[in-house]
Amino acid sequence: DAGVIQSPRHEVTEMGQEVTLRCKPISGHNSLFWYRQTMMRGLELLIYFNNNVPIDDSGMPEDRFSAKMPNASFSTLKIQPSEPRDSAVYFCASVLGGEQFFGPGTRLTVL
Amino acid sequence: GENVEQHPSTLSVQEGDSAVIKCTYSDSASNYFPWYKQELGKRPQLIIDIRSNVGEKKDQRIAVTLNKTAKHFSLHITETQPEDSAVYFCAPTDTGRRALTFGSGTRLQVQP
C-alpha cells in the first residue's frame, strides 16, 4: 500500500486565488481527517469524515474553507479566496482503530 | 471539547539520558492514548499507543504509562539517541466518537 497520498506537495499561489488540496486515504480506512500545521498554532484539526460523511467541521477557520469527500478514496480541501495567513502545511490522515496514518502534507504558501 | 496539555514544551537531554513527556486530558471517555513523533519537515508518525485497559506498554527504548484516574499518560524514552530529536505529540482519543485532540507538542533535543 502506498499509504496516504496528498497532492500537490507544494503550492505557491497569490492572495485571492482558489486553492484545492487533494487526499487519497488508505483503502479500507473509513475515517479521514484534515489538519493544518503552523509554528504559531501547532497541529489543528480542521474537519473529519466518517464513511465519507462530514462529522465535525468546527475547526474550519471560516467560510473560505470547504471540504468534500465524494467517495471513500478521495477528499478535497478548498480555500477560496486564499489569504497569506492560510500559509501552512496541510495534512490529511486516514484512520484505522484510532491510529492516524498521515499523508506527506501539502506546503501551501500564499503570497 | 477535550482539554489536552503536554509538558514540558521543550526538553533538552544528553545522549544516553532518559526523557519523560506528560500529557493530561479532560475527557473521561478517552480510551485510546497514542504518541506521535514528528521529525523536522516530515509527517507525524505513531510510535507507541496504549488502550484504557492497560496501565503500561513498552517497546524497546520507549514506553507509555497511563493513569486513567488522574487522566494523564506519559511517554518515556530511555538511553536517548540523537535520532530521537523531534517533536512529540499526544492525542487522547475517544474511539467511539472518533474524537481526538492533539497536544501542543514537546520539542525534544538530544545533545550528542
Side-chain angles (χ1 to χ4, degrees):
Chain A
D1 196 325
V4 176
I5 299 172
Q6 287 188 249
S7 65
R9 296 290 308 276
H10 302 272
E11 176 84 17
V12 180
T13 191
E14 292 189 344
M15 184 174 67
Q17 296 298 306
E18 178 179 295
V19 175
T20 300
L21 312 181
R22 297 173 176 79
C23 177
K24 177 177 167 52
I26 295 171
S27 176
H29 290 194
N30 59 2
S31 296
L32 183 141
F33 288 63
W34 280 101
Y35 295 92
R36 176 172 68 177
Q37 187 173 39
T38 61
M39 287 294 292
M40 291 299 294
R41 293 204 293 268
L43 197 58
E44 301 175 277
L45 175 63
L46 300 177
I47 185 172
Y48 74 93
F49 297 83
N50 281 347
N51 297 315
N52 314 337
V53 176
I55 301 301
D56 183 356
D57 65 354
S58 59
M60 296 285 261
E62 47 199 275
D63 292 345
R64 298 185 296 108
F65 285 68
S66 62
K68 294 182 180 179
M69 193 164 185
N71 57 62
S73 59
F74 184 64
S75 177
T76 59
L77 177 68
K78 187 176 290 188
I79 308 172
Q80 166 64 20
S82 58
E83 297 182 2
R85 60 193 167 120
D86 301 330
S87 297
V89 179
Y90 291 80
F91 289 103
C92 76
S94 67
V95 180
L96 184 66
E99 180 180 351
Q100 305 250 326
F101 294 80
F102 284 81
T106 295
R107 182 174 295 277
L108 173 65
T109 303
V110 183
L111 302 174
Chain B
E2 167 102 272
N3 281 332
V4 178
E5 292 188 4
Q6 256 185 259
H7 295 282
S9 56
T10 60
L11 180 58
S12 181
V13 300
Q14 290 295 124
E15 183 176 357
D17 288 350
S18 294
V20 181
I21 304 169
K22 185 175 178 180
C23 181
T24 59
Y25 61 95
S26 62
D27 187 355
S28 57
S30 294
N31 59 351
Y32 173 66
F33 305 93
W35 285 95
Y36 290 83
K37 175 183 180 183
Q38 187 177 25
E39 297 177 30
L40 189 63
K42 297 191 176 178
R43 74 192 82 182
Q45 290 192 293
L46 179 74
I47 55 169
I48 196 165
D49 57 10
I50 194 168
R51 301 201 180 258
S52 59
N53 58 339
V54 178
E56 181 174 358
K57 182 177 176 181
K58 192 172 181 180
D59 182 4
Q60 298 183 341
R61 295 187 299 106
I62 60 173
V64 55
T65 57
L66 171 65
N67 184 329
K68 261 209 118 185
T69 303
K71 295 199 189 109
H72 65 73
F73 62 112
S74 297
L75 175 69
H76 304 254
I77 307 174
T78 58
E79 301 170 36
T80 53
Q81 300 168 3
E83 52 264 38
D84 295 328
S85 297
V87 179
Y88 292 82
F89 295 94
C90 65
T93 304
D94 173 357
T95 58
R97 292 186 299 118
R98 289 180 174 82
L100 82 161
T101 302
F102 274 85
S104 54
T106 296
R107 183 173 299 278
L108 173 64
Q109 183 71 39
V110 180
Q111 308 288 347

